[in-house]
Amino acid sequence: MAADNQIESVLKEDRVFEPPRQFVEDAVLKPADIKALYAAAEADHEAFWADQARQYLDWHKPFTQTLDASKAPFFEWFADGQINVSYNCLDRHLADRGDKTAIIFEGDDGEVEHISYRDLYTRVCRFANALKAAGLAKGDRAVIYLPNVPEAAVAMLACARIGAIHSVVFGGFSAPSLRDRIDDAEAKMLITADGNYRGGKLIPLKETADKALAEGGATIETVVVLKRAGADIAMADGRDVWWHDFVADQPSECEPTWVEAEHPLFILYTSGSTGKPKGIQHASAGYLLGAICTCRWVFDLGDEDVFWCTADVGWITGHTYIAYGPTACGATQVMFEGVPTYPEPDRFWKMVDTHQVTIFYTAPTAIRALMKHGDEYPQRHALDSLRVLGTVGEPINPEAWMWYRELIGKSRCPIVDTWWQTETGGHMITPIASYTPTKPGSVTQALPGIDADILDESGERVTNAGAGGVLVIKKPWPYMLRTIWGDPDRYRGTYFGMYDAHTYVAGDSAQRDEDGDFRILGRIDDVVNISGHRLGTMEVESALVAHEAVAEAAVVSRPHEVKGEAIIAFVILKDGEGDDRLASDLRDWVAEQLGAIAKPEEVRFADGLPKTRSGKIMRRLLRTVARGDEITQDVSTLENPQILEQLQARGS
């Protein structure tokens, strides 16, 4: 049994895959280059990051001070330097890459558009000039509520060009969620669309935006509306303007506004335990540096690659690995409006072949959903352009990892299982494609310049292999969040309140294996305490999905008068409907895989799990269902709210 303040790990995984020899030979960054990065970071943390900032960023005014930790935990990086993020993403590529494709856009209906760096630059400049003409200035906030289309990236880069602060709200969020974010940011402008089609279904964005502004949004002066769906919408006189009219007659050049390195680039709201969204604020220079370094190191991103991050720009993954990282690196990337199963479950794989994607980055949720449809769909396609596969958003269970490796990567593509957060801004703990031996379900090692560790709740370092604890980052890094917008006390208490002002608490639990590699066990609040044993729910989920009948699973706890807590498993099957016998078999299967202590008290079968439109499983709602409590949380952001009724009806 583990110590009272440690988390036990009962999932065993001993498969190890070295980076393929041919991949290493062809890689942009060789193992010797990566070793040199680790050595430099270990020798002098600040000097290492200063070197990266000088190498990868174009400065208007060079910085002389690297890190100011005097006001910890409010750290500042490169504070006396001046920069423009849009310039770094566009202008500096025009001479050598002006005609290179920046974005290959594929719409929900299959339309394809190729946008060069010169074209993207022109679109950004025209929109930036229009923003200024409408009265938006440095430091003002604009909320962007758009589908996953190139105009979303244009709007973000245009805000960055004039020093305005953008806050992107995912297009699946409800009117109250949008209203709360507009009001918290005190935004002057809302940028939205009449609507868009996703999976063949109309998403009425403008209608939702109007509802949000009817209930709040007093600071909004202008609403810019992209004509995307051709939907019949209302336009408010004096407030609403069509995008095409907004940019009409605007010059195609816009001098960048040079801002301080610490000038806020964006606010991105993430859920908080209190229910009030947290406005995560990122700074210009440090954030962009992280986006560039992680693109180049982790993915081995080079000039010839076609990069595809399947996320939406409304999430941090879409910020860092669509809008900013690939463009700052001068890469060609794919941007996709639709869903992976429309019109058929091979949409992703068809697009990989069509656009000759070399680096593919998606979520475990998508992988598991596509696994459920069977092997035949990826087997229809060659997928021979792929060289790197990545996962993001949550821990990936070993079964899905192996399917991804064998069916999609044909056992020749390294998989980079990336751990990071909205708050961290970019990758933190992850394999490096050309360097790190990989293991199913393991995020392996922290990147150069990232000092990750595992502590118990008393602050002692957890050193025993297999023992778990609280994941922390012990030194500041350039691309970390700077504060919670308008709430510095909440920032300090949430992220630096557990140990000291220099130790960032991620909110995740983790463990190291015998090789010192990290494995994420889940959120700290997803830990269950069974008869004094503290277990991460991710391990039970992984064991369930390893069963041949199971497509996906989510595990939560409910109070138990004897054990303290009992494990409740919600299971989606690959085929058919579950019954009492299969539920018993699955309970026994988990006990066989992990030990009797991890055996679920109850297994409930369903057609789906409550997920946001980004694919995130809402475990808080599942906890409410498992305990038989009334659901009082907002469920309007769910892709499938009817699933909750099904889960409640099937409760014991």
Side-chain angles (χ1 to χ4, degrees):
M1 180 172 168
D4 288 345
N5 56 359
Q6 291 185 1
I7 301 165
E8 293 183 64
S9 177
V10 287
L11 182 67
K12 303 301 178 186
E13 178 58 63
D14 54 14
R15 289 170 289 188
V16 180
F17 300 93
E18 297 289 334
R21 181 179 300 176
Q22 190 62 51
F23 181 91
V24 173
E25 290 179 3
D26 296 338
V28 179
L29 284 178
K30 306 298 185 187
D33 301 321
I34 304 299
K35 286 181 180 178
L37 289 171
Y38 275 111
E42 182 69 24
D44 192 326
H45 183 73
E46 289 187 36
F48 168 78
W49 284 117
D51 288 345
Q52 303 308 308
R54 294 186 179 102
Q55 177 181 351
Y56 286 127
L57 298 178
D58 283 4
W59 295 87
H60 181 65
K61 176 189 173 187
F63 62 91
T64 62
Q65 181 180 17
T66 302
L67 170 64
D68 181 358
S70 63
K71 294 175 284 189
F74 300 94
F75 302 99
E76 295 184 351
W77 287 87
F78 323 120
D80 61 344
Q82 286 188 341
I83 197 169
N84 182 275
V85 168
S86 177
Y87 179 92
N88 274 266
C89 292
L90 299 171
D91 304 51
R92 64 175 175 171
H93 302 314
L94 296 180
D96 298 329
R97 298 186 180 95
D99 295 327
K100 180 179 179 178
T101 298
I103 296 173
I104 303 169
F105 171 66
E106 182 161 319
D108 187 67
D109 62 357
E111 67 163 314
V112 175
E113 180 183 13
H114 288 74
I115 303 170
S116 70
Y117 270 94
R118 185 167 287 106
D119 187 13
L120 184 60
Y121 166 83
T122 299
R123 296 186 192 193
V124 168
C125 285
R126 293 184 69 202
F127 199 75
N129 284 323
L131 293 177
K132 290 195 294 185
L136 206 68
K138 178 183 175 183
D140 289 339
R141 276 80 64 202
V143 166
I144 300 170
Y145 185 60
L146 285 169
N148 205 45
V149 294
E151 286 83 1
V154 167
M156 295 164 77
L157 288 162
C159 286
R161 194 162 194 86
I162 67 170
I165 303 166
H166 65 69
S167 183
V168 183
V169 178
F170 174 58
F173 274 172
S174 65
S177 298
L178 176 60
R179 177 203 62 209
D180 290 347
R181 286 154 173 78
I182 290 171
D183 289 347
D184 191 72
E186 297 180 307
K188 289 179 65 174
M189 181 178 290
L190 174 62
I191 303 165
T192 188
D194 57 347
N196 77 297
Y197 285 92
R198 192 170 181 270
K201 299 176 182 177
L202 177 64
I203 310 297
L205 291 171
K206 180 59 162 61
E207 181 181 317
T208 303
D210 285 342
K211 290 178 182 177
L213 295 180
E215 300 168 356
T219 56
I220 293 291
E221 299 173 1
T222 306
V223 177
V224 181
V225 185
L226 174 70
K227 184 172 284 189
R228 176 67 190 155
D232 185 15
I233 60 168
M235 296 286 282
D237 289 341
R239 186 196 71 181
D240 299 355
V241 57
W242 288 107
W243 178 300
H244 55 271
D245 292 330
F246 189 61
V247 301
D249 303 322
Q250 290 294 340
S252 58
E253 301 278 345
C254 178
E255 187 66 23
T257 298
W258 304 104
V259 299
E260 304 78 17
E262 282 294 308
H263 180 71
L265 176 62
F266 64 83
I267 307 163
L268 185 57
Y269 287 88
T270 186
S271 59
S273 58
T274 65
K276 183 179 186 293
K278 297 175 291 188
I280 303 302
Q281 178 183 318
H282 277 285
S284 296
Y287 169 80
L288 188 64
L289 178 63
I292 295 170
C293 288
T294 55
C295 275
R296 294 197 179 281
W297 299 345
V298 177
F299 297 118
D300 195 53
L301 182 61
D303 257 1
E304 302 304 314
D305 281 305
V306 177
F307 178 84
W308 183 15
C309 169
T310 70
D312 189 282
V313 288
W315 308 111
I316 187 63
T317 306
H319 281 54
T320 308
Y321 300 108
I322 295 178
Y324 291 115
T327 52
C329 292
T332 294
Q333 66 171 314
V334 172
M335 198 169 181
F336 177 47
E337 182 182 27
V339 297
T341 54
Y342 177 82
E344 288 192 89
D346 65 343
R347 183 69 179 269
F348 274 4
W349 320 131
K350 181 180 179 182
M351 288 178 61
V352 166
D353 279 0
T354 298
H355 306 303
Q356 289 294 284
V357 172
T358 60
I359 303 171
F360 182 74
Y361 192 37
T362 197
T365 296
I367 296 168
R368 288 191 293 265
L370 293 168
M371 282 176 65
K372 183 179 178 181
H373 289 282
D375 298 349
E376 63 170 298
Y377 289 101
Q379 287 172 344
R380 292 178 182 178
H381 304 279
L383 305 179
D384 53 7
S385 61
L386 291 170
R387 56 185 290 265
V388 179
L389 301 176
T391 72
V392 57
E394 60 185 334
I396 180 171
N397 54 291
E399 188 78 6
W401 195 99
M402 290 301 300
W403 185 89
Y404 196 33
R405 169 183 162 81
E406 294 171 359
L407 266 292
I408 309 306
K410 314 295 185 186
S411 300
R412 58 176 172 74
C413 298
I415 295 178
V416 291
D417 178 1
T418 61
W419 177 82
W420 60 296
Q421 303 172 308
T422 302
E423 293 88 343
T424 72
H427 301 153
M428 301 290 283
I429 309 174
T430 172
I432 294 176
S434 63
Y435 179 76
T436 315
T438 55
K439 303 171 183 177
S442 171
V443 293
T444 66
Q445 296 286 322
L447 289 176
I450 303 301
D451 189 1
D453 208 345
I454 300 172
L455 306 180
D456 64 23
E457 290 176 358
S458 65
E460 295 297 315
R461 190 166 186 263
V462 176
T463 56
N464 295 337
V470 178
L471 181 61
V472 300
I473 310 297
K474 299 200 295 188
K475 293 178 183 176
W477 65 102
Y479 45 106
M480 67 189 297
L481 80 165
R482 295 306 195 257
T483 189
I484 293 175
W485 179 260
D487 201 344
D489 290 340
R490 190 181 184 192
Y491 163 78
R492 184 189 289 107
T494 300
Y495 303 108
F496 296 91
M498 192 168 184
Y499 300 112
D500 59 58
H502 289 262
T503 303
Y504 171 85
V505 178
D508 281 340
S509 56
Q511 59 99 211
R512 284 193 195 88
D513 63 17
E514 294 79 1
D515 300 320
D517 287 339
F518 288 85
R519 190 152 50 82
I520 306 301
L521 302 178
R523 299 295 293 168
I524 292 172
D525 58 7
D526 286 337
V527 172
V528 296
N529 194 322
I530 311 294
S531 302
H533 296 261
R534 302 180 72 238
L535 304 173
T537 56
M538 185 278 294
E539 300 194 287
V540 185
E541 293 173 3
S542 292
L544 284 164
V545 175
H547 190 281
E548 62 182 5
V550 177
E552 193 165 14
V555 167
V556 296
S557 68
R558 72 177 179 208
H560 190 281
E561 60 183 13
V562 176
K563 300 176 183 178
E565 289 182 299
I567 293 173
I568 311 301
F570 296 88
V571 170
I572 296 107
L573 300 175
K574 292 177 180 175
D575 295 298
E577 294 187 4
D579 54 25
D580 290 344
R581 180 175 179 179
L582 180 56
S584 178
D585 288 346
L586 291 175
R587 294 175 67 242
D588 292 341
W589 168 265
V590 172
E592 180 183 331
Q593 299 296 308
L594 303 180
I597 195 66
K599 186 175 183 177
E601 185 83 6
E602 181 185 346
V603 173
R604 296 189 194 179
F605 298 102
D607 298 330
L609 297 171
K611 297 179 181 179
T612 65
R613 290 180 177 90
S614 69
K616 180 181 179 181
I617 299 170
M618 298 299 287
R619 288 177 174 81
R620 289 178 193 162
L621 289 173
L622 287 177
R623 280 194 287 271
T624 301
V625 171
R627 295 170 188 182
D629 296 338
E630 181 184 355
I631 294 174
T632 58
Q633 301 101 314
D634 177 21
V635 299
S636 62
T637 61
L638 291 181
E639 183 84 59
N640 49 355
Q642 70 281 359
I643 287 295
L644 290 172
E645 298 174 11
Q646 184 187 84
L647 292 171
Q648 287 173 312
R650 296 184 180 182
S652 60

